[in-house]
Amino acid sequence: MEVVIVPDAKAGGELIAEAMAALLRRKPDALLGVATGSTPLPIYEALTAKVRAGAVDASRARICQLDEYVGLPADHPESYRSVVLREVVEPLGLTESSFMGPDGTAEDVQAACEAYDRALPEAGGVDLQLLGIGTDGHIGFNEPCSSLASRTRIKTLTEQTRVDNARFFEGDIDQVPHHVITQGIGTILEARHLVLLATGEGKADAVAQTVEGPVSALVPASALQLHPHATVVVDEAAASKLKLADYFRHTYANKPAWQGL
């Protein structure tokens, strides 16, 4: 696992966007796994700026979802399908044909989970998966004590996650669904490159447990320690509880330029 400490969220977004651009230059039809929420917005803004400036061609890129609410209409402004189309697909100049995600409105939700879990490897596998992290250490919607071998499935959200997400529903927790479809930790670990971005002091404990703590289902993000190519990008606030922060700064400062992110 590589840990990169950046000054702020904007710098983190630029760094990750350049890694995504470099991937698209090598593999124009790369399958990019995206996350939702406020944390990855600087990534999408920086990547969109690169595309519009002609620094990278994203016209053949493919986008896939990490998770989706169950029961929320696909055209609801806060369904993750709508969010990804609005914040990623449309700004990059792509069409819905380049996008894939689970069906949270399916009559048989379990079958929809299984279908999406099959669809990802059938599409060639995820080349780069973006991740955020919850204050309790969850990734995707794999809440604490999720199996580290789990596949795409239905999960019940914790009350804390619903509280955290209420800001997207006019602050009304009653509007936040109780259930979601999420890629499982085992599914996530199959991506070729995992990139987690965390910003703000509120994520500092989760980041420290993920990076320096034991691998534990209690902290689902700690499973990134098992991945051969996982990158954790954190701002100074999110890095504030890392015991090895100085070492991480040193290793990144002395990293060979050819190695990339």
Side-chain angles (χ1 to χ4, degrees), residues 137-226:
H138 74 254
I139 50 174
F141 277 120
N142 294 286
E143 301 284 16
C145 290
S146 291
S147 166
L148 301 186
S150 55
R151 309 300 305 179
T152 301
R153 66 210 190 287
I154 307 165
K155 286 293 289 183
T156 301
L157 298 182
T158 65
E159 196 68 5
Q160 183 59 57
T161 297
R162 294 182 69 239
V163 168
D164 290 345
N165 286 7
R167 67 188 189 278
F168 300 114
F169 292 83
E170 301 177 336
D172 183 2
I173 191 173
D174 291 335
Q175 294 186 44
V176 182
H178 284 271
H179 299 95
V180 292
I181 294 174
T182 184
Q183 286 187 37
I185 297 173
T187 309
I188 290 170
L189 291 176
E190 291 177 353
R192 296 179 181 89
H193 186 190
L194 300 178
V195 181
L196 186 152
L197 176 63
T199 58
E201 188 176 358
K203 301 296 179 69
D205 283 323
V207 167
Q209 293 178 62
T210 293
V211 172
E212 298 175 341
V215 175
S216 168
L218 191 61
V219 184
S222 66
L224 270 66
Q225 295 181 36
L226 304 173

Side-chain angles (χ1 to χ4, degrees), residues 2 4 12-13 15-17 19-20 23 33-35 39-40 43-44 66 126-133 139 188 191-198 224 227 229-234 261:
E2 179 180 28
V4 182
L15 180 70
I16 296 171
M20 296 173 75
L23 170 61
V34 297
T39 299
I43 303 172
Y44 306 142
L66 184 60
V126 180
D127 291 291
L128 185 152
Q129 177 65 59
L130 294 176
L131 299 167
I133 186 170
I139 50 174
I188 290 170
R192 296 179 181 89
H193 186 190
L194 300 178
V195 181
L196 186 152
L197 176 63
L224 270 66
H227 197 278
H229 190 190
T231 306
V232 176
V233 179
V234 292
L261 188 64

